[in-house]
Each structure stands twice: as C-alpha cells, then as structure tokens.
Amino acid sequence: MSSTTTDYKHIVLNDRQVPVIEGSTMKVIEIAMAQRAHGWTPEEIHINHRHLTMGQIHSALSYYWDHQSELEAAMDAELREIETLRQAAGESPFVARLKAQNLLP
C-alpha cells in the first residue's frame, strides 16, 4: 500500500487519497467523528485509542478542521452509498423472524 505525505506531521494520504494516521489504518475522519459524536477531548480520544499518540490525535484533528468541508462531503457521499446498499439488501432474515414472532413492530 502506498501513501503520500501531507503538510501535517503524522498524516498521509493512502492509495485512495484518504487521510490516515501514518503507520495505521485509522482515518482522520474516524478521529473527528469520535470527537463530535462523543464530545471527547483529545485526551479522551487517547484513552479510547491507546495505540495513537497525542501528537497523532492533534495532527488528525488539525487536518480535519483545515479540510472540514471536503471531508464532510466525502462522509455524506459514503453515508448515501451505505443507505443505498442497505435499501438494496432489504430486511434481514433475523429481523423477519423477530417480526413473525411479534417481537418487533
């Protein structure tokens, strides 16, 4: 797997041009989402992702805030694709069984 360096220490673009933390598969957007979804500080992100250094976390957050609009556009596109796939897959057999047993509405 190849990567391209960025102006941000610890952040590289993977072969799909997605920003990741160098030496890992952790995407920058995953760090930003953890902060937004849980309200975590960088220290709390570190507690939950011990394999990352504080420098890596701060660099990922800096990259996110400097590229917020393009990263959120990519997230929106990914969510639309997921929803399309979910709709195409239909109801799972497990959910159908639960509904048949009146365990789900």
Side-chain angles (χ1 to χ4, degrees), residues 7-85:
D7 291 336
Y8 297 79
K9 186 175 181 180
H10 307 297
I11 306 301
V12 296
L13 301 178
N14 67 15
D15 56 348
R16 293 176 43 203
Q17 299 302 296
V18 174
V20 297
I21 296 176
E22 188 172 26
S24 78
T25 58
M26 178 71 70
K27 297 176 186 174
V28 166
I29 200 68
E30 292 173 299
I31 297 298
M33 287 171 46
Q35 185 180 49
R36 290 178 63 192
H38 303 291
W40 288 344
T41 64
E43 292 77 14
E44 290 169 319
I45 293 170
H46 184 249
I47 289 168
N48 289 280
H49 299 283
R50 288 282 183 197
H51 63 285
L52 301 177
T53 67
M54 288 299 294
Q56 289 171 316
I57 292 165
H58 281 282
S59 192
L61 292 171
S62 292
Y63 187 97
Y64 169 75
W65 287 112
D66 288 346
H67 299 87
Q68 182 180 10
S69 60
E70 73 184 66
L71 290 174
E72 289 195 4
M75 276 187 355
D76 289 343
E78 192 169 315
L79 289 173
R80 284 191 302 274
E81 181 180 348
I82 290 167
E83 181 59 24
T84 299
L85 293 171

